[in-house]
């Protein structure tokens, strides 16, 4: 055996050991671990709002910013900077929901039931003007399942949880 062949074997065994270590590390998770979903809209900070009924006890006004990627909560504090937050409403209570167009794309807001029908005609006409605001007055009903933009249904949709007063 020549000195060069011994050096070559040492080198190759070192490379093989390194490759094995990298392979094992890859199997242990490394960069392939599942990550928590993140908001689509840059203005949002979270996908989880406060759904504790106590946080919604005195709420009668809800405010959103409207983007193609999702509704971003402004008020009440339970939904501040939350993308498509779950709304916790009291059955029979009167509310106002106000939203501002933030991206110049046509949006509206509507409440749908489980059959994807508008509840009690609770929907706005919509607009595509940056800065334009729309307000919808409504009474919470147990048939409300979702609120959404009927033009961007895949991205701008959130759940409605109606509780007894």
């Amino acid at each position: 055996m020549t000195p060069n062949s011994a050096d070559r074997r040492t080198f190759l065994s070192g490379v093989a050991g390194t490759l094995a270590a990298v392979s094992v590390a890859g199997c242990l998770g490394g960069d392939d671990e599942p990550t928590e979903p993140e908001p689509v809209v840059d203005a949002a900070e979270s996908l989880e709002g406060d759904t504790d009924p106590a946080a919604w006890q005195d709420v009668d006004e809800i405010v959103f910013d409207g983007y193609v990627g999702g509704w971003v909560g402004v008020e009440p504090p339970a939904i501040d900077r939350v993308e498509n937050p779950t709304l916790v409403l009291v059955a029979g209570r009167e509310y106002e929901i106000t939203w501002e167009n933030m991206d110049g794309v046509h949006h509206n807001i509507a409440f749908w039931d489980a059959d994807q029908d508008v509840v009690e005609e609770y929907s706005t006409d919509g607009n595509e003007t940056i800065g334009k605001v729309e307000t919808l007055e409504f009474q919470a009903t147990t048939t409300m399942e979702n609120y959404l933009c009927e033009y961007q249904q895949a991205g701008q949709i959130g759940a409605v949880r109606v509780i007894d007063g």
Side-chain angles (χ1 to χ4, degrees):
M1 177 176 344
T2 65
N4 285 343
S5 62
D7 289 341
R8 184 169 180 237
R9 280 189 208 157
T10 303
F11 172 77
L12 290 175
S13 67
V15 168
T18 301
L19 289 175
V22 168
S23 296
V24 169
C27 292
L28 295 176
D31 292 336
D32 294 333
E33 287 187 30
T35 58
E36 290 293 319
E38 294 195 17
V40 173
V41 179
D42 289 340
E45 296 174 359
S46 174
L47 296 173
E48 299 282 329
D50 188 347
T51 58
D52 181 350
W56 291 83
Q57 182 176 329
D58 298 323
V59 171
D60 58 6
E61 184 178 3
I62 300 160
V63 180
F64 285 123
D65 288 339
Y67 298 89
V68 167
W71 296 108
V72 177
V74 176
E75 292 180 20
I79 64 169
D80 186 32
R81 300 296 104 203
V82 177
E83 186 175 283
N84 297 323
T86 297
L87 303 181
V88 180
L89 308 175
V90 177
R93 185 180 288 176
E94 299 284 332
Y95 293 90
E96 281 187 359
I97 192 164
T98 301
W99 67 274
E100 181 176 350
N101 189 314
M102 302 302 285
D103 59 11
V105 174
H106 194 91
H107 304 288
N108 81 323
I109 197 162
F111 286 94
W112 277 9
D113 62 19
D115 295 325
Q116 299 181 343
D117 292 322
V118 175
V119 175
E120 304 286 329
E121 298 182 22
Y122 292 144
S123 68
T124 62
D125 292 335
N127 75 75
E128 62 279 337
T129 305
I130 293 175
K132 188 165 183 180
V133 173
E134 289 189 344
T135 299
L136 176 66
E137 294 180 8
F138 67 96
Q139 182 176 12
T141 71
T142 56
T143 59
M144 293 176 166
E145 292 283 323
N146 297 98
Y147 65 93
L148 72 154
C149 170
E150 294 176 294
Y151 300 94
Q152 279 75 237
Q153 297 172 15
Q156 284 182 274
I157 185 167
V160 177
R161 184 173 144 209
V162 181
I163 59 175
D164 292 329

